[in-house]
Amino acid sequence: MRRIVAWCLGNRPVVILFALLFMGAGVFSIFRLNQELLPSIEFPSVFIVTSDPGANPAVIDRDINIPLSNALNGLPHAQHVFATSSQSFSQVQVQFNVDSNTKDDLDAVNQRLGQVQLPAGAGKPLVQTFSFSAAPSIIYSLGAADGNLSRATLEAQTVIAPALQGAQGAAQVKVVGGEQNAITITLDPVRLAAHGLAPFQVTQALQAVQVDLPAGQSLNGNRVVPVEVLSAVHTAADLRAVPLGSGQPSRSAPASIVTLGDVATVQEAPAPVNGIARTDALPSLSIQVIRDPNGNAISLSNDIHSRVAALHLDPSDRLSLIEDSATGIRASLNDLLLEGLLGALFAVFAIFLFLRSIRATLVTAVSLPTSVLVALLGTAIGGFSLNILTLAGLTIAVGRIIDDAIVVLENSYRHLQKGEPPRLAALNGASEVSKAVISSTLTTVAVFLPIALVGGIISKFFVPFSITVTISLLASLLVALTLIPVLVSFLLERRAAPAEGRRDWSHRVYQPILGWALSSRLSKAAVVLAAALLFALAVGAVASPLVAKNFFDFGNTEQLVGAVSLPAGTTTEETSQQLRSFETAAAADPGVKLVQVTIASSDFGGYSAGFETNQARLLLLVKDKHQAGAVVGRLQQKLNELYGVGNGQIQTASFGPGSNRFEARASGQDEQALRQASDLIVAKLQQDSEVSDVQSDLAAAKPQVSVDVDPKKASAHGLSPRVVAQVVAQALSPMSLGNLGGGGPPVSLRLDPSFVTVDRLSDLPVGPGAALKDVATISTQTAANSINRRDGTRLVAVSAVINGTDTSGISQRATALVQSVPLPTGVKLDTGGTSEEINQSFQSMFEAIGIAVAIVFIILVIFFRSVVTPFVILVSMPLALIGGIGALLVTRSALGLPALLGVLMVFGIVVSNAILLIDFAERARETKPTHDALLLAGATRLRPILMTAVATVVALLPVAVGLSTSGGGGLISQSLAVVVEGGLITSTVFTLVVVPVVYSLIARRGRVGAIAAIHDLDVDRAG
């Protein structure tokens, strides 16, 4: 390494030029990095949605979900197949191994689907996957203040969407919902019977006139001319005049041509396109902008907003911004700039207090912008985006990347104090600590490597974070061993050494303590036992309820989401009407800025799914996100008052992995046993005050009319059960007849609803002279509102919301409650939700920590060529847990994934300090006894260890106190920084005392006077 440093000092202009080039490239990369809220992660699941209008859950389950489950079971890498049957919809989710390839999974699912024969009435299965990049980046709501949503829909489709198409980074602009003109043909059974016609004749006549077909080609001289046959039916009036056939002749008049207008009402009126939506009580639709996966969220946002500002809309339009992912990115960037700059200033000031030299301080400060800009350059080259995780990595890295430069500068500064010229001092100073600096940086980098190896959701989320930190640390190492020596030779001058015997306050405090600790076996045993006791207390705190444990917390957001469930069977119109009372109450809340309600819509943002007409989705924006919790409390109380406890829920929106959900699942074949188990589990969970909104997906049941056709009676009237079923289906379910004239409004045919109510259904004509009651038995039963299966087996899920920050502890207690329930025979139970996610993620993180320790040990063995010395250095790792856990207790923070990342990071940092101390002691033992070598190492390395520790602590202070958490990145960094702060403070103290004691107990005594290759091992009493 000495040759490399010497080359750099001999080519100083080249080194400075390359440093400037790298910094310039880093600045340039900032403007080319894709910026998004979260990494583009594809979740390992394939979703299949199939519609079958009019089919009840039992029919969906029998005809669609069971065949699909059987076909999809056994796919490669598939873990489970979940199927949900609801009214008119089938939803199947194939859950794959988290590390499987989504494209391969999708191909495998499509191949199996091609082998399944679905009912004739079922639509084509919609196969989709979900990723953050597929979710809308920007969502606007367009409300119609004049109540004319059809006009607003037309304006959105012809004015707004075309204006937003082509925006920088936009992949798609969608108009979701709204209204369009539709023609509804309502048949009158009385008039049909009077003319001797049946509904199927009307259907045949209407299908016959809907013509828009290419008929072929015709010759026109020497040219071929295409011929197209079109229908003359283009308006509602044309439809009324469509002939249906000859009516029955009467005594007074012969048979005449019967038209559609004679037997039906033809009405053209606005109809919902995809459910009902209202924003601030106004009928509304959504305009969604999907970002290109390679697009920049901030550039897209700026372009979209400028285009929206240039629009000239109808005065009755109310265009509201619902969501913009660039807002979180901008906030996180502000967090990085504020916390990073403040942290850098604090660190630089701390260095100045130690060195008392402006020039020396500036030399060290150079490593900060250089390393960060190189990290940004590496992030861009690696194809990663700038998101809240990479930003959190950069923010956290600010506290560590200055350490290598401090060690090199401090050692060079010490050589300057000995009277060496600047260039020689820079060469000797950097060369002496190069081994320690390289090994410490590599060990810090090594602790993040296992995150990519353990796989799972941990890798998907935190690999960008780890790579960003890794690149910044390697950049800081490069800067410390190349640029810092050059700047030392340029900017610093030879300095006089402090007076002999003069010691600063740190040495006056530390050296007597270290001397006592190394003085006898009794003192050594006391130090080791004290450290072991504190470590045991920290581990005990983690295992106890004192330290709250959760999965992932992005903190507060200005978005609230919720749902309301009315009694099963409630119509869309009735659900819409009942939700108006909540809309009024929410709009009157002083903390609410916007209220949006969506009913019977299949659009869920990044994917499509089935819906229930008795359920409504809520989305609210609050004025101050820090007051979101209080707003949630008030609105939840209002929901309970309006719809009953458990029928309405609202909470702050979560944009990452969930953190407050508990779920217990019972499986079996006997439906009655499952219902009994569900009731028992619900009752048990309702006893727990720490969970709320306990619901079972089997609890909701609705009345169902059962028509049992008698084949003999049907045959006596010239009918079959299938024909009767088709007649009933046509009478109850509107039939789509396509679009009028090919491109006109949609046309649907239905029987007058007043003639097919439950009490009049038995009189429905099903054939000549035959009513439904003549061929079938009609009864009313109670049926499940939905049917769930897992891997083909019936499944009942009981879910609850966890209240409190200790989600793991609450989840474990809820699990114990559920497991105490005496279940009926044949029912199996398992729990999931937050508890399952926490356990799996913590297991992955513990595996990563174990692998990290092994990798660090291997690196240390390579550098020190010893097994004993690395073992001593590793002692500093558990010592860091003492302060890390203590910091969580003091700040009342939860132990989640970000905090565990902090444990990994603090492991790397504390090992660096131990390496610095033991490396010097190893070299000193070649000329001195072990006791004297440790005293010398402690005295000499005290200042750089304290400088790096204090610089890191003060650099992370703005992050740890949450100075600015307007973006999600700040919140991720905060819990991570708290652990690093606490762990570094205690481990620094223990490293300076416990590590020398352990080393003295294990290492062999050195031989005095061996090799004189170590330069100037005089005691620097002034540090």
Side-chain angles (χ1 to χ4, degrees), residues 329-634:
I329 287 292
R330 292 190 185 99
S332 295
L333 281 170
N334 291 336
D335 286 351
L336 171 66
L337 291 174
L338 177 61
E339 297 171 343
L341 288 175
L342 284 177
L345 289 175
F346 290 165
V348 169
F349 181 69
I351 295 169
F352 173 75
L353 292 180
F354 277 97
L355 298 181
R356 308 291 177 87
S357 167
I358 295 178
R359 287 188 174 186
T361 303
L362 291 177
V363 168
T364 309
V366 167
S367 65
L368 279 171
T370 307
S371 301
V372 169
L373 290 172
V374 171
L376 289 171
L377 176 61
T379 301
I381 294 174
F384 292 97
S385 63
L386 203 60
N387 53 66
I388 61 173
L389 292 167
T390 52
L391 289 173
L394 287 174
T395 307
I396 288 296
V398 166
R400 171 62 179 81
I401 55 182
I402 201 172
D403 288 3
D404 293 341
I406 288 176
V407 173
V408 172
L409 174 68
E410 191 279 336
N411 207 44
S412 301
Y413 198 75
R414 194 165 58 86
H415 279 273
L416 284 171
Q417 289 180 323
K418 294 178 180 179
E420 294 181 6
R423 183 172 293 196
L424 181 59
L427 176 62
N428 290 334
S431 301
E432 282 183 3
V433 295
S434 61
K435 176 182 175 182
V437 168
I438 292 173
S439 59
S440 63
T441 301
L442 291 182
T443 52
T444 306
V445 169
V447 300
F448 290 103
L449 180 63
I451 293 179
L453 300 178
V454 295
I457 196 70
I458 300 294
S459 293
K460 286 182 176 290
F461 265 92
F462 290 112
V463 161
F465 173 95
S466 302
I467 289 179
T468 303
V469 173
T470 296
I471 295 174
S472 61
L473 293 180
L474 294 177
S476 70
L477 174 63
L478 184 65
V479 169
L481 294 178
T482 57
L483 184 60
I484 296 301
V486 169
L487 294 179
V488 166
S489 67
F490 265 129
L491 300 178
L492 301 189
E493 298 176 350
R494 190 179 306 183
R495 300 176 64 89
E500 183 69 21
R502 180 183 173 188
R503 299 185 301 171
D504 60 21
W505 67 268
S506 61
H507 285 80
R508 291 195 297 270
V509 171
Y510 171 62
Q511 286 181 318
I513 294 175
L514 180 61
W516 171 83
L518 295 172
S519 61
S520 65
R521 291 185 177 272
L522 182 62
S523 61
K524 294 177 183 179
V527 169
V528 173
L529 287 175
L533 178 62
L534 290 174
F535 175 69
L537 290 174
V539 173
V542 172
S544 73
L546 291 174
V547 177
K549 290 169 280 295
N550 63 20
F551 182 42
F552 209 102
D553 186 9
F554 277 91
N556 290 326
T557 172
E558 67 173 5
Q559 279 196 16
L560 309 182
V561 294
V564 173
S565 296
L566 298 180
T570 305
T571 64
T572 301
E573 293 73 18
E574 179 63 18
T575 302
S576 173
Q577 188 61 34
Q578 291 200 31
L579 261 292
R580 291 187 182 276
S581 54
F582 173 75
E583 293 175 76
T584 303
D589 190 289
V592 174
K593 180 169 61 175
L594 179 143
V595 182
Q596 186 177 78
V597 172
T598 305
I599 304 153
S601 172
S602 62
D603 182 80
F604 287 77
Y607 62 99
S608 297
F611 58 82
E612 295 285 348
T613 59
N614 66 315
Q615 296 178 354
R617 303 200 304 267
L618 310 175
L619 188 147
L620 296 89
L621 300 182
V622 297
K623 296 175 181 177
D624 181 3
K625 73 175 186 177
H626 299 292
Q627 300 299 320
V631 176
V632 166
R634 295 194 295 268

Side-chain angles (χ1 to χ4, degrees), residues 725-863:
Q726 290 173 346
V727 171
V728 174
Q730 290 177 4
L732 297 177
S733 303
M735 177 183 296
S736 175
L737 298 176
N739 292 80
L740 189 64
V747 180
S748 61
L749 176 68
R750 68 173 183 175
L751 200 65
D752 189 338
S754 64
F755 284 87
V756 286
T757 57
V758 174
D759 56 337
R760 300 184 65 180
L761 186 61
S762 59
D763 297 324
L764 176 70
V766 293
L772 184 59
K773 62 184 178 183
D774 298 327
V775 298
T777 301
I778 302 172
S779 60
T780 302
Q781 302 174 350
T782 299
N785 195 38
S786 64
I787 300 174
N788 294 328
R789 292 185 181 274
R790 180 180 63 182
D791 301 330
T793 303
R794 283 293 304 272
L795 184 74
V796 174
V798 178
S799 60
V801 175
I802 295 173
N803 305 317
T805 57
D806 185 15
T807 53
S808 178
I810 297 173
S811 182
Q812 289 175 1
R813 289 190 287 276
T815 299
L817 274 177
V818 171
Q819 290 176 342
S820 67
V821 173
L823 295 176
T825 304
V827 176
K828 295 181 179 179
L829 176 72
D830 64 273
T831 56
T834 298
S835 176
E836 185 178 24
E837 292 164 348
I838 290 176
N839 292 337
Q840 291 177 353
S841 300
F842 275 33
Q843 180 180 349
S844 296
M845 284 301 298
F846 290 143
E847 289 175 1
I849 292 173
I851 297 172
V853 172
I855 294 175
V856 168
F857 184 78
I858 292 172
I859 292 175
L860 293 177
V861 168
I862 293 173
F863 271 89

